[in-house]
Amino acid sequence: MQPRAPGPAEPRRVPPGRSRARSRGAALLPSMLMFGVILASSGLLLMIQRGILAQVGPPPPHPPAGPPSRREPPAGPGLELEVLRDTRNRTIRALCGQRSMPRTVWDLPAGQRRTLLRHLLVSDKYRFLYCYVPKVACSNWKRILKVLDGALESVDVQGKMDHKSDLVFLGDMKPEEISYRLKHYYKFLFVRNPMERLLSAYRNKFGEIKEYQQKYGVEIVRRYRKNGGNSAGDDVTFSEFLRYLLDEDVERMNEHWMPIYNLCQPCAVRYDFIGSYERLRDDADHVLERIQAPSFIRFPERQAWYKPVTAQTLHYYLCNTQRRLIKELLPKYILDFSLFAYPLPNITSEFCRQ
Ligand SMILES: *[C@@H]1O[C@H](CO)[C@@H](O)[C@H](O)[C@H]1NC(C)=O
Ligand SMILES: *[C@@H]1O[C@H](CO)[C@@H](O)[C@H](O)[C@H]1NC(C)=O
């Protein structure tokens, strides 16, 4: 399938000043992989966002030098990374350029704005905003913010993190203060494969955290299991969890499974950098360098108690879940797959036989 070329109406949808840098020559070696991601998810997006991506077309030519960078990216993985960043960047621009999408935080309905502003953490000293996404190394970033602020001695302090104290939330500021910071500060977030993030939330919250078992688990089992009335909520299955997500309103979900789109609103906020959980260390170093963090601050190692989600674990859970359930759930998370260029989960029978 060939992507459609931008029609003659294309420039009119882009407000003046937005597309200036985009018309330079030199074609990027198109990575079929990343291109496939966009094409694959655009089918679903078409349905969900009423044809928005239909107008996107192929990636425009890549500017010869790319974004200004101190180091030349190495051959091999460097190119792939550049393609990934570029794909994300273009998809976000294309989708967020649509008339119906929010342009600023003030365009958002009050509830969505409240969620966003509660997830934007502020460092006035280093002039940045970090949108935290639970299950994407956010505890470690919060530790770093506390160390930068002098509230914590070292990022390696053991134990779980207090997620509220000694942190500054953009939502606690006045509108002028909010606007100033959104306009002038460096803004970043970290994203993760949506399916892995859901699985990580499921295993952590329902496997380990009593409070979640009681608050959500009991109700989930009661709703989705025959005679599930007397479960303690500690035995929720992954399928029951997915069925629960299907019935939940994305805007009201718990932050551990709310789509990243709704937590961080990448259309209303123009992020300068989107890091990946899949290359956490390197992307974190990039941010630390960019915000000019003191060199003794390093991104923390994983906490010893943390159980990573591996490809095998994901394979196991996906392949032991009804395909229909996963397919029905994808539209809810489709913006996270598309905007951040993650391939939709492979749940073909060939894959599951492996
Ligand atoms: C997208 O590209 C523009 C121009 O190169 C850059 O300024 C911006 O930081 C990029 N955004 C992201 C999220 O990578
Ligand atoms: C899914 O996995 C199978 C087996 O590894 C592979 O043959 C197939 O091409 C994959 N499909 C997609 C859409 O990635």
Side-chain angles (χ1 to χ4, degrees):
M1 185 169 82
Q2 281 298 311
R4 218 184 301 164
E10 178 73 12
R12 261 185 286 128
R13 279 193 310 275
V14 184
R18 285 205 162 197
S19 62
R20 258 174 303 154
R22 290 291 115 190
S23 49
R24 282 171 277 166
L28 170 73
L29 301 161
S31 155
M32 291 323 285
L33 174 73
M34 279 310 147
F35 216 51
V37 168
I38 296 302
L39 291 178
S41 33
S42 67
L44 275 161
L45 258 174
L46 274 172
M47 289 166 1
I48 293 142
Q49 294 291 325
R50 291 186 216 91
I52 283 174
L53 262 199
Q55 297 156 353
V56 172
H62 192 62
S69 70
R70 275 179 297 275
R71 286 169 294 154
E72 276 298 289
L79 176 64
E80 212 170 285
L81 175 62
E82 213 180 296
V83 171
L84 170 68
R85 291 206 176 132
D86 199 64
T87 304
R88 277 186 186 154
N89 208 323
R90 287 169 204 280
T91 318
I92 290 173
R93 261 203 315 272
L95 192 95
C96 297
Q98 297 299 311
R99 218 176 290 121
S100 59
M101 301 306 266
R103 294 290 155 91
T104 76
V105 301
W106 312 111
D107 292 345
L108 295 169
Q112 291 184 28
R113 183 163 61 236
R114 211 175 311 120
T115 301
L116 168 66
L117 295 180
R118 268 209 309 258
H119 285 84
L120 281 166
L121 292 166
V122 183
S123 170
D124 279 333
K125 197 160 153 198
Y126 291 90
R127 295 175 69 87
F128 69 81
L129 300 175
Y130 160 56
C131 183
Y132 81 86
V133 177
K135 309 316 299 175
V136 192
C138 81
S139 302
N140 281 339
W141 275 111
K142 287 174 177 173
R143 277 195 187 85
I144 288 193
L145 264 90
K146 291 181 185 196
V147 174
L148 287 173
D149 205 37
L152 192 69
E153 210 169 290
S154 146
V155 291
D156 297 317
V157 171
Q158 291 300 307
K160 302 234 175 182
M161 248 261 322
D162 185 317
H163 286 266
K164 287 273 170 329
S165 67
D166 298 320
L167 293 169
V168 181
F169 294 84
L170 194 61
D172 291 335
M173 298 189 163
K174 299 198 194 86
E176 319 83 81
E177 296 172 331
I178 293 173
S179 292
Y180 176 86
R181 284 163 181 77
L182 283 167
K183 180 155 181 222
H184 296 287
Y185 284 13
Y186 180 72
K187 300 171 286 295
F188 70 95
L189 80 156
F190 274 73
V191 299
R192 179 176 188 178
N193 181 307
M195 241 25 239
E196 274 183 32
R197 179 169 165 252
L198 286 182
L199 180 55
S200 172
Y202 163 76
R203 293 210 309 163
N204 170 237
K205 295 307 171 202
F206 297 105
E208 298 164 16
I209 315 279
K210 193 127 231 121
E211 189 193 326
Y212 273 76
Q213 297 170 353
Q214 287 164 355
K215 186 165 177 196
Y216 297 97
V218 171
E219 167 69 10
I220 292 174
V221 176
R222 194 190 58 72
R223 271 203 233 164
Y224 301 109
R225 194 182 303 169
K226 264 191 200 133
N227 310 318
N230 46 23
S231 156
D234 56 355
D235 59 348
V236 178
T237 66
F238 190 56
S239 298
E240 287 165 346
F241 176 57
L242 297 189
R243 286 178 67 188
Y244 165 75
L245 294 178
L246 263 178
D247 287 341
E248 286 294 285
D249 174 357
V250 288
E251 286 177 26
R252 277 169 236 277
M253 281 181 179
N254 176 284
E255 62 174 10
H256 289 85
W257 42 84
M258 183 183 276
I260 299 175
Y261 178 85
N262 295 76
L263 293 172
C264 295
Q265 295 285 353
C267 290
V269 175
R270 305 190 111 222
Y271 290 96
D272 298 290
F273 184 72
I274 298 178
S276 307
Y277 186 82
E278 294 75 17
R279 29 176 297 122
L280 185 53
R281 209 44 199 266
D282 287 348
D283 282 356
D285 283 347
H286 172 92
V287 171
L288 290 172
E289 193 180 324
R290 178 62 182 64
I291 62 174
Q292 300 186 315
S295 57
F296 73 89
I297 296 188
R298 309 284 305 159
F299 199 77
E301 296 297 340
R302 261 190 200 137
Q303 298 287 298
W305 45 264
Y306 184 79
K307 278 197 234 141
V309 169
T310 61
Q312 288 85 344
T313 328
L314 191 64
H315 182 281
Y316 172 83
Y317 279 100
L318 288 180
C319 293
N320 285 286
T321 302
Q322 280 177 34
R323 214 173 292 173
R324 181 188 56 83
L325 204 50
I326 295 171
K327 277 197 191 143
E328 281 176 19
L329 189 65
L330 290 179
K332 275 208 153 132
Y333 291 86
I334 195 67
L335 290 176
D336 286 4
F337 282 105
S338 312
L339 290 177
F340 309 127
Y342 285 106
L344 297 174
N346 184 342
I347 44 171
T348 58
S349 36
E350 299 96 288
F351 178 71
C352 285
R353 251 196 316 265
Q354 285 172 353

